[in-house]
Amino acid sequence: MEAHTNSPPGGTAIRELAAKLRTLREQTLAEVGRVVVGMEAVTHQFLIALLAGGHVLLEGVPGVAKTTLSKTFARILGIEYHRLQFTPDLLPSDVTGTYIFDRKENDFILRKGPIFCNVLLADEVNRAPAKTQSALLEAMQEIQVTIEGTTLMLPQPFMVLATQNPVEQEGVYRLPEAQLDRFLLRVEMGYPVHEREVEMLKLHSRPVDEVEQLMSAEVILEMQQQLADVHGDDGLLHYIVDLAEASREHPDLALGASPRAALCLLRCARARALLDGRHYFTHEDIHAIALGVLGHRLIIRPEAEVEGKRIADVVKELLDSVPVLGTT
């Protein structure tokens, strides 16, 4: 089998895209750093999700700049962005829109909701009731909404950046497993280290500059369409399926990875390789995104949770136990 060091096959277009995306990644990190300090790793995962055409669930306690980071990222993309604050009394029509009677036209016209955009920041998504969550679920999975029996397509690219506070449980609705599975990545944001927090204080002691637009809808769609051209040996495809199968048999898990999770691993590994300037992916790319892809899809058995087992521990066990075969 051909070794990765011998430059796996790939067309000129995908090689050029890889080189371009590596530069674009550095530019994006630099622009985000002008507004939010210490978010390089999180921004990198946002870019992976963008390339892979998926959605991100952003978890963290209040005040760690989840909303600010999402807004800044959307501005850099240069596409239409809406923010929606989720509340317990939010109705599906508040998300999707509704038909209203126009007296001048003597007819019903559609008043579109905030979901008709390219990037939707769903702030505190777990505060909305189940009926509203189902409206968002259709949009995330099908890139469409149904309003009073009429199905309407959403603009593309379409990406949901949803935030939730994992600590506060009063007045929130736990996201169902079916909806969690629609998020390509779950990203956890913790407190910054001491030095970075000092940098943040200095940065926000003066007016913050506007970030530069680096992309457009056309550019993003073109990049997404080329993702499948990123090369990977068959051995790596077997490795992804081996990881999924091992999770289904793990003694500490009540629910393992689904075939959709395996597909998400593949898409994210390809996207990470492109952002690293490579037109091929390796098992290291799979390892790097495994926790983000699998962490919210696996369910730990209650007895294992009582013993102190965490999802991160189980994912590490899976990566350590499943051999990497067929690659060099």
Side-chain angles (χ1 to χ4, degrees), residues 147-160:
I147 304 174
E148 297 182 19
T150 303
T151 299
L152 301 169
M153 298 303 297
L154 294 172
Q156 293 197 46
F158 177 71
M159 182 181 192
V160 174

Side-chain angles (χ1 to χ4, degrees), residues 30-255:
E31 286 299 312
V32 169
R34 294 169 57 188
V35 179
V36 190
V37 175
M39 295 298 169
E40 292 83 2
V42 178
T43 305
H44 189 207
Q45 292 185 79
F46 276 15
L47 285 170
I48 289 172
L50 177 71
L51 279 181
H55 313 287
V56 177
L57 179 62
L58 197 56
E59 285 193 350
V61 296
V64 292
K66 298 188 299 296
T67 303
T68 303
L69 175 62
S70 301
K71 186 187 301 182
T72 302
F73 183 70
R75 286 176 178 167
I76 291 170
L77 300 184
I79 51 183
E80 189 176 0
Y81 157 82
H82 290 160
R83 175 183 179 273
L84 181 60
Q85 180 68 47
F86 278 61
T87 57
D89 60 348
L90 195 72
L91 299 174
S93 59
D94 297 327
V95 178
T96 62
T98 187
Y99 285 94
I100 61 171
F101 187 74
D102 188 330
R103 292 185 180 275
K104 291 182 180 179
E105 300 292 334
N106 199 32
D107 197 5
F108 287 92
I109 62 170
L110 174 63
R111 178 176 291 172
K112 292 183 177 180
I115 204 166
F116 283 88
C117 62
N118 298 113
V119 177
L120 176 70
L121 172 57
D123 221 351
E124 295 187 286
V125 67
N126 54 334
R127 288 194 177 276
K131 186 176 286 189
T132 306
Q133 295 285 2
S134 67
L136 183 64
L137 185 64
E138 180 188 6
M140 291 171 62
Q141 180 62 28
E142 308 295 339
I143 319 297
Q144 68 180 34
V145 294
T146 302
I147 304 174
E148 297 182 19
T150 303
T151 299
L152 301 169
M153 298 303 297
L154 294 172
Q156 293 197 46
F158 177 71
M159 182 181 192
V160 174
L161 300 175
T163 72
Q164 72 170 358
N165 175 4
V167 177
E168 190 176 10
Q169 297 301 323
E170 186 175 346
V172 302
Y173 297 81
R174 184 175 178 274
L175 294 181
E177 307 305 332
Q179 183 160 347
L180 283 173
D181 197 34
R182 295 322 193 268
F183 285 102
L184 181 70
L185 289 172
R186 183 182 68 175
V187 180
E188 295 184 5
M189 287 179 63
Y191 293 114
V193 296
H194 182 89
E195 291 76 12
R196 287 304 181 93
E197 200 159 357
V198 171
E199 287 179 36
M200 180 203 70
L201 295 180
K202 291 179 180 178
L203 176 65
H204 290 276
S205 297
R206 61 182 188 276
V208 178
D209 296 331
E210 285 290 322
V211 294
E212 181 184 351
Q213 176 184 331
L214 299 175
M215 305 183 209
S216 66
E218 294 74 19
V219 169
I220 294 168
L221 287 173
E222 185 181 346
M223 293 189 301
Q224 290 177 347
Q225 289 164 3
Q226 294 186 64
L227 184 69
D229 295 333
V230 178
H231 176 74
D233 290 324
D234 283 350
L236 289 169
L237 303 184
H238 285 286
Y239 179 61
I240 289 173
V241 175
D242 287 344
L243 282 174
E245 290 178 341
S247 71
R248 298 164 196 163
E249 299 169 359
H250 196 285
D252 293 330
L253 293 178
L255 181 68

